[in-house]
Amino acid sequence: MAFAFEEEALPKKLNFYVWRRILKYALRRWKLILLLLLCIIIVTFYDSAFIPLMNKAAIDSVENNLTADFTSFLIPVDIYGIKFSVTYWGYVFILIGGIFLRSIAILFNFFLMNYIAMCIVMDLRSDGYKRIQELSFSYFDRTPSGWLIARLQNDASSIGDLLSHGLTNMIWIAFEIIFTLITMFTVSWQMSLVIFITVPFIMIISPIFELKILKKHRLARSAYSNFVRWLAECIAGAMTIKTLAIENQVEKEAIEVTEDIRKKMFAGRKVNAFFQPSISLLSSLATALVITFGIYVFNANESSYIISISTLVLALGFVSKIYSPLQSFFEIFAEFMSEQASAEKLLNLIDTKPSIEDSDEVIKKYGTLFSPKKENYELIEGHIKFDHVSFSYLPEIEVIHDLNIDVPKGTSLAIVGETGSGKSTLVSLLARFYEPTHGSILIDGKDYRTRSIGWLRTNIGFVQQNPFIFRGSFKDNIAYGKLDATIEEIRKAAMLVDIDSFIMSFKDGYDHLLEDGGNELSTGQKQLISFARAIIRNPRIMILDEATSSVDTETELTIQSAFNMILKGRTSLIIAHRLSTIVNADRILVMKDGVIVEDGNHHSLMRKKGYYHRLYMNQFKELTIDEQISTYEAQIEGMKLDNKI
């Protein structure tokens, strides 16, 4: 089993256009951001200006009044030119009040930060999912569902957190450094210059180390993702591994994969092991310079200036207030670099244009999928015409060739043929999952592109080969065909497909909860629910895409009887793998390699003894005697029922 993995490319520089677009999601809550900004300013001003200057004033006062009772003298305070004096108890009261105000600001800061993060994630997922709903089937043909889930789940979450927490911390750091610098230079520009001697070094080594750590981290993350893929493959193929007796080979691969993770994780931690001591060394060096310079100046009586003890203490505190924020800034910057690829992928999803879109004129009249103008929807009769229709999934590969079909309203049209003949493509074109490469499809005499996608889909009932059951009740699953359906309408649809009695056998009846894709139901029961879901909207056109190919013969007979009730009077297109299910169709098209090779009803095509006759007889011979008898009886019953109806 191969376990090579693709390494994620590390962007060379930050793409400001991408992050400017992402930032707009945060700016949707600009009032909250202003409040968050106010909280940040309060806290950083308190930590980097107010408290240091208050403490300096207190130390200076005590130093100048060593013999006096410290509770008896006034403490002169100077905060950015605002001068006032306070008593000892006033000083204590101000500090306590400041701590209380700071705590409230931090509380609001964390609340707002997390709330904005949730809003960003919600908006990103909402826009992404809305785009997915609008995208055409061709997009899903080439895009794995796992890729889409990763974008809306992991990427949206990490980007939202980074944009709120990361950006908030960067703003926090910016104000913290600004207030620190103002305070430093206000107190002593000489000491400030001493501290700044080592700052260029941290600004050089931090980006270098952070990018190296980021690159190693990505390699380790890719190795771990590869291990998860390999493990999932081994678990899924456990029986194959045992039957082939290759446990020894798989064990060697396990050692190799896990060793690859260990090496790459260790490489990242080794770089980090050098980075942290380097920052600590620079911080210690700056502290040593401050102490050395302070002591030298303090003892140099001939000097023109004297550094007080309070100034020295303040300078020592400011060393960490410069180095820690700068280190944090580069760490956050590296996170933005790390998440840039995720941001680009998510924006690419949101920016993807559907290959099938209504024109501006159609939208003006009929609205969009999300805002339909149903009052303008015309009633449909069900006359369908394919006019010289050709279609290609890829430019060089045409799968439908110059197709001409005229289906009068109320006709049941069966489409048969071998795998790859173009049957499913034909009905997908009718449902406008794809559009013709050449030619046009007319419904009631008008090109269906002159009406909206929403108008078309509301008039089509589509039953697929593999029905999907949503998590919810029987009632919910049937009502998805018509969201405003009453319980009476739901039961009537269920009765039409002969599943009402089965549903009522459950204790909660139509309110019984179906979970895990309806695993408690058989394939035939799921199919009957999908029939009820399709019929409840009373569509004029029904499409059945191999709707009975996955069920047993007995269930097929039940579904076949439902067919005859449901399809009468409607235009229907039936793709059938089992030809016995369409012998009573008004018309049968036989397709091969994207063209119609035979056209007629069952009896006329059998009399021709051509391609259809050969397909039918080959299938009939494969049945057991009992199945052949059942098939024959079903045909007779179907003809009798047609005569009654």
Side-chain angles (χ1 to χ4, degrees), residues 15 82-83 95 215 396 521:
N15 189 333
I82 301 175
K83 299 179 180 180
L95 288 184
K215 186 175 182 180
E396 64 275 9
L521 306 177

Side-chain angles (χ1 to χ4, degrees), residues 16 35 46 66 70 72 74 110 122 189 251 273 299 301 303 305 326 341 469 559 589 608 620:
F16 288 100
L35 184 57
Y46 180 87
L66 291 176
F70 66 89
S72 63
L74 293 176
F110 280 102
M122 180 186 68
W189 64 267
E251 175 66 17
N299 292 323
N301 294 327
S303 175
Y305 54 87
L326 285 176
I469 301 300
I559 294 176
L589 297 181
K608 287 183 180 180
F620 197 76

Side-chain angles (χ1 to χ4, degrees), residues 218-493:
R218 282 196 166 187
L219 292 175
R221 187 171 63 181
S222 295
Y224 180 75
S225 298
N226 172 65
F227 167 72
V228 173
R229 288 194 295 268
W230 175 86
L231 183 61
E233 183 180 344
C234 288
I235 293 173
M239 184 174 292
T240 302
I241 292 172
K242 292 183 180 297
T243 55
L244 295 175
I246 57 173
E247 288 90 347
N248 187 46
Q249 174 62 29
V250 174
E251 175 66 17
K252 291 179 180 178
E253 290 183 6
I255 295 172
E256 193 171 347
V257 173
T258 52
E259 179 64 17
D260 186 53
I261 296 175
R262 187 196 66 80
K263 288 180 179 178
K264 289 180 169 58
M265 290 184 68
F266 180 73
R269 292 176 180 177
K270 186 167 60 175
V271 175
N272 194 56
F274 282 98
F275 176 51
Q276 296 299 334
S278 300
I279 298 299
S280 297
L281 178 63
L282 288 173
S283 179
S284 299
L285 180 60
T287 301
L289 288 173
V290 168
I291 294 173
T292 302
F293 180 77
I295 293 175
Y296 172 78
V297 175
F298 187 76
N299 292 323
N301 294 327
E302 69 277 13
S303 175
S304 58
Y305 54 87
I306 298 295
I307 301 298
S308 66
I309 294 177
S310 63
T311 301
L312 183 59
V313 171
L314 200 65
L316 290 173
F318 281 153
V319 171
S320 62
K321 282 190 170 293
I322 290 293
Y323 276 81
S324 294
L326 285 176
Q327 182 181 350
S328 299
F329 175 84
F330 289 114
E331 289 175 356
I332 296 169
F333 184 83
E335 287 184 34
F336 274 95
M337 294 284 287
S338 176
E339 295 298 333
Q340 183 164 296
S342 298
E344 289 174 346
K345 290 174 184 176
L346 185 55
L347 287 178
N348 286 339
L349 169 62
I350 294 173
D351 291 341
T352 301
K353 295 294 183 183
S355 58
I356 298 176
E357 291 184 288
D358 290 326
S359 66
D360 293 338
E361 294 78 12
V362 170
I363 291 175
K364 184 177 180 180
K365 181 177 180 181
Y366 296 96
T368 64
L369 286 172
F370 298 98
S371 300
K373 298 178 181 178
K374 293 188 176 182
E375 65 275 9
N376 294 332
Y377 284 8
E378 297 93 349
L379 294 176
I380 190 172
E381 294 183 2
H383 180 199
I384 301 169
K385 184 176 182 180
F386 286 73
D387 186 14
H388 295 284
V389 170
S390 299
F391 176 73
S392 303
Y393 287 107
L394 299 173
E396 64 275 9
I397 303 176
E398 190 174 81
V399 294
I400 297 292
H401 314 286
D402 195 29
L403 197 67
N404 289 283
I405 309 172
D406 196 328
V407 186
K409 66 177 182 178
T411 301
S412 60
L413 176 70
I415 308 167
V416 302
E418 296 177 342
T419 301
S421 60
K423 309 184 298 296
S424 294
T425 301
L426 188 148
V427 296
S428 294
L429 288 171
L430 176 60
R432 209 177 170 189
F433 298 152
Y434 306 91
E435 286 184 345
T437 309
H438 301 289
S440 57
I441 298 176
L442 286 73
I443 296 180
D444 295 343
K446 291 186 177 182
D447 190 323
Y448 70 174
R449 285 171 286 204
T450 63
R451 290 169 174 164
S452 71
I453 297 173
W455 169 86
L456 177 66
R457 304 269 171 84
T458 55
N459 284 291
I460 290 181
F462 201 120
V463 181
Q464 298 173 309
Q465 178 180 357
N466 298 309
F468 186 83
I469 301 300
F470 296 92
R471 185 186 184 279
S473 64
F474 283 109
K475 179 175 64 178
D476 295 334
N477 268 278
I478 296 174
Y480 276 121
K482 184 183 178 184
L483 296 177
D484 59 348
T486 64
I487 186 62
E488 289 76 17
E489 291 175 308
I490 293 170
R491 290 204 64 178
K492 182 179 179 181

